[in-house]
Structure formats: structure tokens, C-alpha cells
Amino acid sequence: MSETSIPVDRRPWLLLSPALVFITVLVVIPMAFILVYSFYENIDLAVDVPAFQFGNWQELLTDSYYHTAIWKTLRLSLIVTVLAAVLGYIPAYVIAMTRYRHKWLLLLLLILPFWISFIIRTLSWIHIFGNQGALNGLLAWLGLTDAPLSIMYTEFTVIVGFIHVFLPYMILNVYVSLEGIDENLEPAARTLGATPWQAFREVTLPLSLPGLAAGSLLVFVLTGGSYVTPLILGGPRDFLFGNLVYDAVVTELNWPMGATLSFALLVLLGSVVILYSRLMGMNQLAKAFG
């Protein structure tokens, strides 16, 4: 079939068809199976029967325990996102604006943590914040404490663990946005009488907001869907919605409830992505990973 024989209105669909097939097979169909499984009924450990019933969804919508988990997930994700944005903008700005010839080396140091297992990086904080860890050892050596501080297994350590893991995503997105700004704009603003702070606030910062927003989306979604960091660094009360999915599937072997929680989390985080797409578009994410 020649290109000229294909109607113009069908050509985009033809070009998109390979991607649509992959998305359908790898995303849509598996999620459809999860949605269907959420209506099954669990009658014993790992024993489920097909049933079109809304018991799992009714439990999710009426049990305050799940509402608390949703609130904690959104609150902690927002805290981590804000802190990552504040902490990540400075190194991104330094890397983008540096005159250092080997800028690639700075970017290599930024992505170097990705070469180490996510779990190992998370476990490393136990050796820092633990009762016999580096921080308590330093405080005792300086004579500032008589007994070890109870830092581990708190919300604070969970936040630190999240920022440690997800901060490079924020830095990379902000860096890509800053790198795309014309380097003559800020000097031009200063030539017109703006102070360095005014030039940054009125020129550089507004132009870098798309990258900041893209990084914030990634950090928010990745934090909201995580369960390993709270499992390792958090206490009994520091659970997120992802931990409930893990408990339902692995601990309780209640797969229909796990499917219900998984689909609910998908809808929750998917709504955030759709809102971002409506407001900002997805172009910046494509630039960051392109």
C-alpha cells in the first residue's frame, strides 16, 4: 500500500499504531485484569473466587484506615516534593551556569547514585541514623549527647530517604530547563539596570518553571507509589498507600483487595498526571529523558 493511497486523516493513527499496540498489551490489558480482579472475593489465604461484588471497593471507601493512608501519602508526597524542589534547584542552577569545561563530569556525579541499588542506598541510612550509627557516634564524640538519639523509624527518616533517592530526578529536570534558556538574557537584564537577584527572579526563574514542574510531578508520583522506603526506614505509623498494597498481596495474600488498592492508587496518581498534563503539557518530561 503506497503512502498516497492512505487517507490523510488515517496517517497519524497508522504511525501511532506500533506505540498504541505496545501500550495496549503492556498497560491497558494488565490494568483491565487488575480492575476485574478487584471484584473477586477472597474466602481464605490465597483462595479467591470469581464474583461480581463491590465488597472490596466498599471497604476501601468506608474504612477510615484507608482514608488515613491516602491522606498520609498525599501529605508526605507534597512535603518531599517541596523539599526536593528547594534543595534541587541550587545544584541544577550551578551545573547549568558553570563555566567548567568538563560539565559532563558534574552530570556523571549526579547520575552516579543510580548505579547503586535503590534498596542498598535506602539501607545505608540505618548506618547513619541508627543508635550505633555515624550521626550518634559523632554527637557522642563531640560530647553533645549522653545517650543515642532515637532518629530511626520516624517520618523524618522516611522523608530523608525519599529525598536522597528522588532528588536527582528533580535536578535533572530543572537542569534541562535551565540549559534551554538563552544565556544572554540574564546579562541583558543586568545591562538594563536589574540587580543579579532581580535578573534571576524576573528572567531565569520564570523560564525554568516548566522543568521545576516536571521534576515536581516525577517526585510526587514516585513518592506516592513507593513502599520500600517507609518499610525500611519508617515505623508502624509511617506507612503509605503502597505499603497497604504490599501488605494485602504479600502478607495477607488477599489479592482481590490488593488489586482494589492498586487500581485506586493508579487512579489517584493518574489524576495528578492528568492535571499536570492539562496545565503544563508533557513536553518537559520528554526533554528530560530524551
Side-chain angles (χ1 to χ4, degrees), residues 89 93 178 186 195-206 208:
Y89 197 98
Y93 184 85
L178 290 170
E186 196 167 315
T195 63
W197 167 247
Q198 288 175 329
F200 169 78
R201 186 184 63 192
E202 301 295 335
V203 178
T204 305
L205 181 60
S208 64

Side-chain angles (χ1 to χ4, degrees), residues 23 34 54 86 103 145 161-162 165 168 201 233 244 275 287:
I23 292 175
I34 292 177
F54 295 89
V86 174
K103 184 184 293 187
T145 58
F162 275 136
V165 173
R201 186 184 63 192
L233 301 179
L244 301 187
L275 179 63
K287 291 180 182 178

Side-chain angles (χ1 to χ4, degrees), residues 34 37-39 56-57 60 255-265:
I34 292 177
Y37 209 80
S38 68
F39 296 104
N56 299 319
W57 288 99
L60 171 64
W255 297 334
M257 193 63 201
T260 304
L261 298 175
S262 298
F263 201 85
L265 183 61

Side-chain angles (χ1 to χ4, degrees), residues 87-100 102-103 106-107 171 174-175 178-179 200 204:
L87 297 175
Y89 197 98
I90 298 175
Y93 184 85
V94 171
I95 295 175
M97 301 302 173
T98 184
R99 300 298 180 184
Y100 182 51
H102 304 293
K103 184 184 293 187
L106 300 178
L107 294 174
I171 297 176
V174 176
Y175 164 76
L178 290 170
E179 188 73 8
F200 169 78
T204 305

Side-chain angles (χ1 to χ4, degrees), residues 81 166 169-171 173-174 210-220 276 284-285:
T81 300
F166 297 139
Y169 293 101
M170 178 68 73
I171 297 176
N173 276 278
V174 176
L212 192 63
S216 298
L217 173 68
L218 278 177
V219 173
F220 188 93
Y276 169 86
Q284 188 63 34
L285 289 177

